[in-house]
């Protein structure tokens, strides 16, 4: 497993008396319907890569593969690997699926961010912080609910007063992108080793 990861370039080994393996933080962005909508995920991914993060964009049907990869990376690093998952619409639904699947296998996400999920879901675990950016009045978005015993931080931020936003452009909003980038800095630090980024509001 570690050898395959090294071939992909996301595992680094140091020659020392005690061999250690480190996998840099991974950020997974997940598109919605038909893998052609949710282009805001591509835009956000480009912004993150420009800052030095390892950010990749996926279609929502790949959620189980993403969850398995996160768990494998955490097991390979003794639980030290950090992952962030962000999605829009059906991709936002997949964010909760990933968090729950990771929790079932003893893993955790450093951060999960949903842009306007379309179905009511329950979060059982798997995310230290889960932020749901949704609009309760646009005909699509909905809250995410925590099951009893969930120990993470769940925030449902209702953007119903933002008249310029809809289900179809909420993922593209530059202001929301900036907030998410700040949250990522808080969760996993700077990709260039400069410590935590400034707190986002």
């Amino acid at each position: 497993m570690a050898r395959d990861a090294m071939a992909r370039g996301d595992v680094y080994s140091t020659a020392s008396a005690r061999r250690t393996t480190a996998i840099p933080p991974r950020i997974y962005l997940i598109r919605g319907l038909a893998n052609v909508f949710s282009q805001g995920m591509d835009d956000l991914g480009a912004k993150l890569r420009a800052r030095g993060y390892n950010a990749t964009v996926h279609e929502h049907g790949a959620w189980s593969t993403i969850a398995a990869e996160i768990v494998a990376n955490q097991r390979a690093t003794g639980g030290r690997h950090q992952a962030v998952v962000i999605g829009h619409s059906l991709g936002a639904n997949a964010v909760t699926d990933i968090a729950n699947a990771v929790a079932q296998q003893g893993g955790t996400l450093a951060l999960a961010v949903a842009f306007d999920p379309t179905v009511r879901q329950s979060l059982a675990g798997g995310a230290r912080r889960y932020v749901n950016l949704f609009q309760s009045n646009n005909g699509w978005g909905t809250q995410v609910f925590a099951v009893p015993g969930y120990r993470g931080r769940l925030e449902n931020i209702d953007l119903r007063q933002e008249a310029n936003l809809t289900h179809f452009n909420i993922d593209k909003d530059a202001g929301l992108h900036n907030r998410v980038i700040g949250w990522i800095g808080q969760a996993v630090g700077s990709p260039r080793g400069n410590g935590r980024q400034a707190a986002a509001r």
Side-chain angles (χ1 to χ4, degrees), residues 18 38 60 62 85 102 150 155 191 194:
R18 178 182 179 185
S38 308
H60 66 89
V85 180
V102 167
Y150 171 64
E155 301 163 70
N194 295 323

Side-chain angles (χ1 to χ4, degrees), residues 30-35 58-64 66 88-94 97-98:
I30 309 174
R31 299 190 194 101
L33 183 65
N35 201 32
H58 307 264
E59 58 97 12
H60 66 89
W63 72 265
S64 60
I66 293 170
H88 170 242
S89 191
L90 297 184
N93 301 345
D97 292 331
I98 291 170

